[in-house]
Amino acid sequence: MAVKHSRFDRFLLTLIGIFLTLAVLIVVVPLVYIIVASFMDPTVLLSKGLSFNLSDWSLEGYRKILSNPAMVRGFGNAVFYSAAFAFVTVTVSVCAGYALSENRLAGRHVFMTLFIITMFFGGGLIPTYLLVRELGMLNTVWAVIIPGAVNVWNIILSRTFFKGIPNELKEAANVDGASDMRIFFGIVLPLSKPIIFVLALYAFVGQWNAFFDAMIYLEDPKLHPLQLVLRSILIQNQAAPGMINDQLAMAELKRLSEMIKYSAIVISSLPLLVMYPFFQKYFEKGVMVGSLK
Amino acid sequence: MVHRERRSAGKGLEFLRKNYFLYILLAPALILTLIFKYVPMYGAIIAFKDFSPIKGILGSEWVGLKHFEKFLSSPNFDVILMNTLKLSFFGLIFSFPVPIILALMLNQVRRASVKKNIQLFLYAPNFISVVVIVGMLFIFLSPTGPINQFVIWITGEPLMFMSKPEYFRWIYILSDIWQGAGWASIIYVAALANVDPELHNAASLDGANLLQRIRNIDLPTIRPIMAIVFILAAGGIMSIGFEKAYLMQTSMNLPASEIIATYVYKVGLQSGDYAYSAAVGLFNSVINVILLISVNFIVKKLNEGEGLY
């Protein structure tokens, strides 16, 4: 704290302040633009630009997007896939991580090597797709949840965590005659809430934002998660079926599809952006623990 | 001999009886990995076969390197390979330093609450999906979008950002930095927080200015992390960002945006040419491994023997 700042230092610190302010603006301005634009009529937006005048605002975009069955279903699917995926991948990784953390597990180096190899080598898109098809998982929710369930990174993280649990705890329970199962469910798991929480958070966010597996494995639009619905609205410029009446004039159709883009972005991104500040320290913890390895 | 075997078998059974629960815990991860990771690795041999769905992977005929030759001699090959390499190489070169600079600057922010708030904003784009990011690109860069209104004001003509191949790489890389740089700086910020303030004090008393202190105290602190991050990024060089490149593709920017991964997807899953597509994918992985190994080797040389492995 006693660092003395020369004039050059103060100049540099000012420069740093300016750059950081600019960086924050570069990040924030596009987000604010989208949010404000989501309340505006696209024709007004085009002619006048952004308006912070509340009388120029309307909720039409939100009404349209919230009454769109594909969007609502996509939202529901995304919640389900994300929760189910988080549950499966955390369960699998934490169990494996615990087993691998025990020194008495014979062959643990072999198992660990088997897992780590898959971080660097893979069969590739086509063989994986053919396998999923062969297993009859095409067009089922399993295709989104199961093939990616084993996450080596998660296994390493939880193994590192379990190694930090003092052995005395387990030994004491062992002396009292508790079985491995009792020790795992009664002592180890209750102590592992932090790691379970961090891994689940990451898995949920990852799956919420994913679209690729769903795109290649799920043909039925009823099964599509939010991101696939968004893709058709934002990138393929298709207002989802049932959203817009066919008889509407082209211009009106175009106006509506422009309008719902903004509100679709806000509705899909807001849940994560709102909750992430509350969980920021856990996300940071996840990165930090991950970097230890 | 017999006696011994019997005893060790007995021991093994005894061991399993005592520790079976650990193996039960391990089993789901192990089985899923064998099925969904190792079976596809084996399945990659269809790259050397003429895959027929009726005969299956095992029954299909071996054709040697036919598919590889076809890819290497196809007129697209040069373009696709160079697109992949350029996108990854420039992406790595431009994206790598930004988080480091951000972290060094953040480290100079005295007030903890101010620093926390800046980080809160800078991390936010990390939580936006790639679909939305690309959707926002299309919105902001459309001929009537906000950026072009500015461009029109200056030049009178809108720029066709998303349909001109020459812009593709820039848009891809800059938006990547926009989304990821803040988040990627976390690890450096944390490392810098461990620097002993006394070091800075002492250096300052010796007359070192801020720039000199950053260069001689802060930078050496994060150098090992820089090396690891760089190797990991370089190792994923051929595989990163496929989803984004695919979403950003328009029929007009294809000359720059078609990369090996998008080509594999199109040839394989859209046109059904599984074997050929698998061969192209395998080619991609092989380059990837070669890159990983050589970058690790170079960094090790530069970084006084400290590499990833």
Side-chain angles (χ1 to χ4, degrees):
Chain A
M1 293 307 113
V3 175
K4 284 229 178 66
H5 288 300
S6 64
R7 264 173 64 190
F8 175 77
D9 284 7
R10 280 202 296 276
F11 166 73
L12 212 59
L13 284 173
T14 317
L15 216 59
I16 286 175
I18 294 171
F19 277 130
L20 281 176
T21 314
L22 272 179
V24 170
L25 283 179
I26 289 172
V27 165
V28 172
V29 168
L31 299 179
V32 171
Y33 182 94
I34 295 281
I35 293 174
V36 174
S38 71
F39 290 103
M40 295 185 64
D41 189 292
T43 43
V44 181
L45 187 66
L46 256 185
S47 57
K48 284 167 62 176
L50 278 196
S51 158
F52 289 87
N53 188 348
L54 283 184
S55 63
D56 284 337
W57 288 23
S58 85
L59 290 172
E60 199 188 343
Y62 286 95
R63 245 177 258 133
K64 282 275 181 288
I65 204 82
L66 287 175
S67 61
N68 167 27
M71 187 80 184
V72 174
R73 201 167 45 214
F75 203 94
N77 285 342
V79 171
F80 172 71
Y81 296 155
S82 305
F85 176 75
F87 177 76
V88 172
T89 188
V90 172
T91 307
V92 170
S93 322
V94 165
C95 289
Y98 176 71
L100 290 167
S101 76
E102 290 277 337
N103 283 338
R104 64 200 154 97
L105 184 89
R108 63 184 188 286
H109 295 298
V110 179
F111 296 133
M112 213 52 219
T113 312
L114 273 177
F115 286 123
I116 288 177
I117 286 175
T118 66
M119 293 175 90
F120 297 100
F121 300 95
L125 177 67
I126 304 298
T128 310
Y129 173 84
L130 290 177
L131 172 73
V132 169
R133 195 177 73 173
E134 204 74 1
L135 293 172
M137 288 162 68
L138 230 50
N139 233 347
T140 70
V141 297
W142 302 112
V144 181
I145 294 170
I146 300 296
V150 179
N151 183 325
V152 180
W153 207 242
N154 289 354
I155 293 181
I156 294 174
L157 290 194
S158 43
R159 189 184 69 146
T160 312
F161 178 88
F162 291 126
K163 280 201 164 153
I165 293 183
N167 256 329
E168 290 76 18
L169 273 177
K170 291 182 261 177
E171 273 159 20
N174 206 357
V175 171
D176 289 345
S179 65
D180 267 355
M181 208 187 292
R182 278 283 303 275
I183 294 176
F184 180 67
F185 286 110
I187 296 173
V188 174
L189 271 193
L191 285 173
S192 336
K193 276 181 207 142
I195 187 80
I196 292 176
F197 185 66
V198 167
L199 295 185
L201 215 52
Y202 269 88
F204 190 94
V205 171
Q207 187 65 37
W208 181 270
N209 284 336
F211 77 100
F212 188 69
D213 283 356
M215 178 177 91
I216 60 176
Y217 295 134
L218 304 178
E219 272 173 41
D220 185 355
K222 285 201 178 68
L223 294 174
H224 283 178
L226 185 63
Q227 299 297 333
L228 273 189
V229 182
L230 281 175
R231 172 171 161 258
S232 62
I233 295 176
L234 293 176
I235 294 164
Q236 300 172 323
N237 265 317
Q238 292 163 354
M243 177 173 298
I244 289 162
N245 198 330
D246 292 338
Q247 280 102 9
L248 286 178
M250 272 310 281
E252 177 66 1
L253 206 118
K254 201 164 178 298
R255 191 183 74 90
L256 276 177
S257 70
E258 274 305 306
M259 174 174 248
I260 56 176
K261 278 183 185 175
Y262 297 96
S263 32
I265 290 180
V266 173
I267 286 182
S268 67
S269 308
L270 216 55
L272 291 190
L273 287 183
V274 167
M275 70 162 220
Y276 123 80
F278 297 104
F279 296 136
Q280 188 185 356
K281 63 176 178 185
Y282 298 102
F283 283 119
E284 284 181 16
K285 210 188 275 173
V287 173
M288 296 335 296
V289 185
S291 68
L292 279 182
K293 179 53 215 182
Chain B
M1 194 66 179
V2 176
H3 180 68
R4 221 193 203 163
E5 258 178 8
R6 207 178 273 156
R7 219 174 61 186
S8 76
K11 250 182 165 175
L13 278 180
E14 178 72 356
F15 177 82
L16 272 184
R17 199 183 61 76
K18 265 189 181 160
N19 297 301
Y20 75 97
F21 184 65
L22 291 182
Y23 289 93
I24 291 178
L25 287 180
L26 183 65
L30 201 58
I31 293 168
L32 286 176
T33 299
L34 291 178
I35 295 178
F36 290 105
K37 298 289 197 268
Y38 283 93
V39 171
M41 279 187 216
Y42 174 74
I45 60 168
I46 66 165
F48 304 96
K49 292 189 162 199
D50 259 340
F51 179 68
S52 133
I54 303 150
K55 292 182 190 160
I57 292 176
L58 281 179
S60 296
E61 248 164 81
W62 291 97
V63 292
L65 295 173
K66 182 178 118 183
H67 300 301
F68 291 89
E69 279 159 15
K70 182 179 158 199
F71 178 52
L72 290 174
S73 61
S74 84
N76 296 329
F77 173 74
D78 288 350
V79 178
I80 296 178
L81 180 68
M82 283 323 281
N83 282 346
T84 313
L85 287 175
K86 278 184 199 162
L87 193 64
S88 327
F89 180 75
F90 291 128
L92 185 63
I93 297 300
F94 288 107
S95 307
F96 179 70
V98 182
I100 298 169
I101 297 168
L102 269 182
L104 290 173
M105 295 200 299
L106 276 168
N107 191 45
Q108 294 303 325
V109 179
R110 281 294 127 73
R111 296 255 301 275
S113 62
V114 175
K115 185 172 162 187
K116 208 83 241 154
N117 281 325
I118 298 177
Q119 285 172 296
L120 195 69
F121 285 119
L122 292 185
Y123 296 169
N126 180 59
F127 293 89
I128 297 174
S129 74
V130 60
V131 172
V132 166
I133 293 282
V134 177
M136 283 168 66
L137 286 176
F138 275 104
I139 286 176
F140 284 119
L141 300 173
S142 88
T144 54
I147 292 186
N148 259 323
Q149 282 171 7
F150 190 66
V151 172
I152 293 170
W153 183 63
I154 295 177
T155 65
E157 289 274 325
L159 288 173
M160 297 301 175
F161 287 108
M162 298 309 282
S163 49
K164 282 265 175 64
E166 56 264 42
Y167 298 135
F168 172 80
R169 246 166 249 135
W170 289 110
I171 299 171
Y172 180 99
I173 292 168
L174 289 176
S175 60
D176 249 17
I177 294 176
W178 183 83
Q179 179 171 28
W183 189 250
S185 69
I186 289 187
I187 184 168
Y188 299 115
V189 171
L192 287 171
N194 290 330
V195 175
D196 186 356
E198 282 307 312
L199 271 177
H200 278 276
N201 280 343
S204 158
L205 285 178
D206 287 344
N209 66 32
L210 186 54
L211 212 54
Q212 289 165 327
R213 296 203 303 274
I214 288 177
R215 209 175 61 204
N216 296 314
I217 300 172
D218 289 349
L219 266 182
T221 307
I222 54 176
R223 202 170 64 181
I225 300 176
M226 284 164 56
I228 290 173
V229 171
F230 189 81
I231 296 169
L232 286 177
I237 211 168
M238 304 290 280
S239 51
I240 42 165
F242 155 63
E243 301 187 352
K244 193 169 152 196
Y246 175 70
L247 290 172
M248 279 178 68
Q249 274 183 356
T250 61
S251 52
M252 317 269 277
N253 68 21
L254 270 185
S257 64
E258 189 79 296
I259 57 176
I260 296 181
T262 56
Y263 185 68
V264 168
Y265 170 71
K266 286 181 194 165
V267 175
L269 294 189
Q270 290 184 338
S271 315
D273 198 346
Y274 295 125
Y276 174 59
S277 177
V280 178
L282 201 58
F283 175 83
N284 196 41
S285 321
V286 170
I287 296 189
N288 215 3
V289 172
I290 294 173
L291 278 174
L292 181 70
I293 293 170
S294 30
V295 169
N296 188 55
F297 177 78
I298 295 167
V299 171
K300 237 180 184 167
K301 286 263 145 135
L302 296 177
N303 201 29
E304 294 152 6
E306 286 291 316
L308 184 62
Y309 50 86

